[in-house]
Amino acid sequence: MSVHSIVRWAGKKITSVIKTGTKGLHEESAIQSVVLVNSLSIALSTLVLVIGPIFYLLTGNPYIVFPALAECIIAASALYLNYLNKHTTAALVTFLNQCAAVLYFGLALGDVLLLQLMVVFLIAVTFLIFNKSRIRRFCLLTALTVLVALEAGHYFHVGQFIYLDGQTAFFFRWCSMAGMLLLIVLTGRHYVRSSDFRRIFLYQVTHELRTPLNAVMLAGQLIKRELTYKPDARRISALTDHLLAAGNNADNILGNVLQLARKESGRHDELKAVPIAPRSFFSQIVELHGVVAQYSSVSLDFDMENMPPFISADPAKLHVITSNLLSHAIQFADRNSIVTVFVRGTADNRWEIRVSNAGRGIPDDRIEHVFEPFVTEGNLAVEGTGLGLFITRAKTLSMGGRIDVENQPGERTTFIVSLPLIPAEPGPSPNLVPDAGSNGAPLNLHVLIADDNDMNNLLLAQFLRRMGCRVSMAVNGEEAYRQAEHTSPDVIILDYHMPVMDGKEVLVKVREEASLKHIPVIMATADAYQSTRQLLMEAGATAFLQKPISFGMLQEALGRCVK
C-alpha cells in the first residue's frame, strides 16, 4: 500500500470519527456543533497524549501527567456521548473539562502558561456549540469565574505548587500556545465561511457578554449605594470601586470588539458633536482609570492649557480615543512611574491629546505596525487584544484628526492625537463616571420593567424600590404588553432583545394603543450601535439606556419622563 493510499484511508477514518453522532440531524447549525465538539475532543486528546509524556520526561512530575491523562480520557468521552446522540451532554463535558484543566494548570503552574487566552477561546466556543440561552449563560458564568480565579491566584500568589526551570517553562509556554492556535484553526475551519460571519459572531459574543456584565455593574452600584449609609465600611466601599472600575474596563474592551465588527462590515459612525467642557470631561476619564492604574503601581497625572471652557466634539469618540490610549499607556508603563494626560490648544486652530508613559518603549521596527489590528508589543508578560490603537486611529481619522507617536526606546512613549479646535457655547457636559444615583425625593411611580434575564430584573427592581417606585416585572415582550394593558404603569423600561415579542414590537404596540400611547418608554439594551438607538427612538422610545446601566443615568431618564 502506497503512502498516498494510507493518507487517504486515514483521512476517511478521521472524517468518519469527526462526524460521529451527526446521523439523523438535519439542521446545519446542529451538525456543525457536533462536528466541532468531536474535532475539539480529538484535538485535545491528541495534544495531551503527545505533550503530556514529553513533560513527564522533562520534569518527572506526576502532578502534570496524571491530571493530563484524566483530561484526555474525559475529552475522548465526548465522542462516545455524541455516538449516543447526547449532544448537549457531550458539549458540556468538553467545555467543563477544559475549564477544569485551565483552572488546575493555571493555578498549579502560576504564570507559566497564558491560559487566560484559553478562557477567551472557551467563551467564544460557547456561542458555537450551545443553542440554548440558559446553557450559554451558565457556561459564560463558569468561564468568567475561572478567569477571575486565575487572576486572583496570580495576583495574590496562591495555588502554585509546580515550579519549572526557565528553559522548561519557555518550552511549556510555546507548546500550550501552539495547542491553542490549533484549536482556533479547527474552530475557524468549520465556522468562518463568509465575510459576514466575523461581524455577526463578534456582535453576538459582545452582546451576550454585556448581559452578565450588566448584572455585575448593577450589583456593584447597589452595594455602593447601600454603603453610603455605613461610614464604617470604607474598605468594602473601596473594593466596590475596584469592581465598578473593572466592569468599566471590560465594557471598553467589548466596545472595541464591536467597533471592529462595525468597521469590518463597512459601517461608519456619524459625527455627533455636542458642547464639552474639556477639563471636566478628561478628568472623568482619568478618574475611571485610576483603580486600574493603582493595581499596576502607576500614578496618573492630568493637565490642560490653552483650551477654551467649551469645545464642540463627539464625546463618544473622544472617550474611546482617550480611554484606549490611557489603557495602553498604563499597560506598558514601568511600575511606580507616572502616566500623563496633557490636553492643550495649539496655534493652528487645533488641539492635542498627549498621553505619555515611562517604559521600555516601542522598538523602531514595530512603530509602523502599532496601529494595525491584533498587534501587541510582543511581551508575553503583558496581555492585550491588540485592537485599542487600531480603533483609536480609526476614530481619530473620522473626526478629521491625525495620530502620531513620539518614541524613545527604553525611556518614554507619547501618543499625540491632533484634532480641529471648534469653540462652543456653554452647555451640559457629558457625565462619564457611572454613579449609584442620588438620594432624592421618592418618585412614587409605578414602573413596569421587562427583561428576559431574571437577575437584571431583580437588581433593577431593587434600585427602583429604593427610589420609592412600585415595580412590576415581565420576562418577555408579550407578558410586558399584557401587564401594561392591565395595570397602565407610569413608566415602562424594556429590554430590546426578548423572546416571544422583542422590545421594539412592544414599543410599537404601546404607541398604537390609545390607552397606553401616553406612557413614557425607556429602552435598555446591550446593543451599542447608533443605528439601533436611532431605530428605537424613531419607533417612539422616550429615552435610551445602554447596558451596563448606570443608576445615575436611569435616575436622570426617569426624571425626564415624569416632567
Side-chain angles (χ1 to χ4, degrees), residues 532-561:
T532 301
R533 179 192 297 260
Q534 184 177 347
L535 176 70
L536 295 174
M537 296 303 287
E538 290 176 352
T542 310
F544 180 94
L545 292 176
Q546 181 179 313
K547 295 179 180 179
I549 293 174
S550 159
F551 284 153
M553 297 298 291
L554 173 60
Q555 204 166 16
E556 288 180 17
L558 288 171
R560 291 195 302 270
C561 288

Side-chain angles (χ1 to χ4, degrees), residues 67-290:
L69 181 61
E71 179 190 359
C72 174
I73 294 171
I74 296 172
S77 70
L79 287 168
Y80 181 66
L81 290 169
N82 274 332
Y83 173 75
L84 298 176
N85 291 323
K86 297 182 178 181
H87 303 131
T88 301
T89 304
L92 278 171
V93 165
T94 301
F95 180 85
L96 295 176
N97 181 40
Q98 286 313 295
C99 284
V102 166
L103 186 60
Y104 174 80
F105 289 109
L107 291 177
L109 292 165
D111 58 0
V112 170
L113 304 180
L114 299 177
L115 290 179
Q116 292 86 344
L117 297 176
M118 188 63 182
V119 176
V120 173
F121 172 76
L122 290 173
I123 289 173
V125 165
T126 298
F127 299 96
L128 302 179
I129 62 177
F130 299 110
N131 294 320
K132 295 181 179 179
S133 297
R134 184 175 297 179
I135 297 177
R136 282 182 179 176
R137 288 170 184 162
F138 166 75
C139 291
L140 281 174
L141 182 61
T142 302
L144 290 172
T145 302
V146 170
L147 182 60
V148 170
L150 285 179
E151 290 297 320
H154 294 172
Y155 182 79
F156 293 107
H157 304 290
V158 296
Q160 183 175 3
F161 61 88
I162 299 176
Y163 298 91
L164 305 177
D165 60 73
Q167 187 174 359
T168 304
F170 179 81
F171 184 54
F172 210 160
R173 178 185 291 118
W174 279 101
C175 282
S176 67
M177 290 181 67
M180 283 186 277
L181 285 174
L182 174 62
L183 296 178
I184 291 171
V185 169
L186 281 174
T187 305
R189 186 171 65 89
H190 291 290
Y191 284 90
V192 184
R193 301 292 187 186
S194 69
S195 59
D196 287 336
F197 174 77
R198 180 162 53 183
R199 174 179 58 83
I200 296 169
F201 173 68
L202 291 177
Y203 169 79
Q204 187 177 14
V205 169
T206 51
H207 182 275
E208 291 288 339
L209 282 175
R210 272 200 166 110
T211 298
L213 180 60
N214 183 60
V216 171
M217 295 293 282
L218 288 177
Q221 292 174 83
L222 277 172
I223 294 170
K224 189 169 181 65
R225 184 180 175 84
E226 293 296 323
L227 290 175
T228 59
Y229 303 104
K230 299 178 181 180
D232 57 334
R234 293 180 180 176
R235 183 177 180 185
I236 299 176
S237 181
L239 291 174
T240 307
D241 290 337
H242 294 177
L243 173 67
L244 293 174
N248 181 72
N249 191 41
D251 190 44
N252 287 341
I253 294 171
L254 292 177
N256 281 338
V257 177
L258 269 179
Q259 289 298 330
L260 174 66
R262 187 175 183 84
K263 187 173 178 63
E264 288 290 324
S265 68
R267 300 164 67 187
H268 302 283
D269 293 327
E270 297 179 4
L271 192 65
K272 301 288 184 181
V274 299
I276 293 174
R279 183 170 293 278
S280 170
F281 183 84
F282 288 102
S283 294
Q284 290 181 70
I285 295 177
V286 172
E287 179 186 344
L288 285 170
H289 288 78

Side-chain angles (χ1 to χ4, degrees), residues 236-480:
I236 299 176
S237 181
L239 291 174
T240 307
D241 290 337
H242 294 177
L243 173 67
L244 293 174
N248 181 72
N249 191 41
D251 190 44
N252 287 341
I253 294 171
L254 292 177
N256 281 338
V257 177
L258 269 179
Q259 289 298 330
L260 174 66
R262 187 175 183 84
K263 187 173 178 63
E264 288 290 324
S265 68
R267 300 164 67 187
H268 302 283
D269 293 327
E270 297 179 4
L271 192 65
K272 301 288 184 181
V274 299
I276 293 174
R279 183 170 293 278
S280 170
F281 183 84
F282 288 102
S283 294
Q284 290 181 70
I285 295 177
V286 172
E287 179 186 344
L288 285 170
H289 288 78
V291 174
V292 178
Q294 286 179 16
Y295 276 125
S296 301
S297 300
V298 172
S299 300
L300 302 182
D301 180 65
F302 168 67
D303 199 8
M304 187 178 81
E305 68 176 27
N306 298 329
M307 290 290 290
F310 284 85
I311 61 173
S312 179
D314 187 323
K317 291 186 177 183
L318 276 185
H319 190 189
V320 170
I321 290 169
T322 311
S323 292
N324 282 338
L325 290 179
L326 197 48
S327 296
H328 182 274
I330 293 169
Q331 189 176 25
F332 293 100
D334 288 337
R335 297 180 69 84
N336 302 314
S337 64
I338 299 175
V339 170
T340 62
V341 179
F342 183 41
V343 176
R344 69 170 186 175
T346 58
D348 52 353
N349 290 324
R350 299 182 71 85
W351 64 289
E352 294 179 343
I353 307 168
R354 303 175 67 94
V355 180
S356 178
N357 73 335
R360 61 188 182 86
I362 304 171
D364 291 335
D365 61 342
R366 294 184 63 81
I367 283 286
E368 61 184 275
H369 301 293
V370 294
F371 295 112
E372 297 175 5
F374 307 112
V375 172
T376 62
E377 298 303 309
N379 185 354
L380 289 176
V382 182
E383 300 172 20
T385 61
L387 288 177
L389 294 179
F390 171 70
I391 299 298
T392 297
R393 182 176 181 273
K395 294 290 185 185
T396 301
L397 294 176
S398 72
M399 296 178 68
R402 61 178 181 270
I403 183 168
D404 299 301
V405 186
E406 290 180 355
N407 183 53
Q408 298 172 289
E411 297 182 25
R412 295 196 73 79
T413 301
T414 303
F415 285 87
I416 307 162
V417 173
S418 175
L419 298 166
L421 178 59
I422 306 173
E425 295 296 322
S429 188
N431 181 28
L432 303 177
V433 180
D435 64 82
S438 60
N439 299 318
L443 291 179
N444 194 28
L445 297 172
H446 176 204
V447 181
L448 169 62
I449 57 178
D451 194 314
D452 61 331
N453 185 284
D454 291 331
M455 186 178 295
N456 285 341
N457 270 344
L458 291 171
L459 292 170
L460 197 56
Q462 186 173 341
F463 172 73
L464 291 169
R465 292 187 180 111
R466 281 285 188 180
M467 293 175 62
C469 298
R470 184 164 59 91
V471 181
S472 300
M473 291 182 284
V475 294
N476 62 61
E478 185 177 44
E479 182 183 341

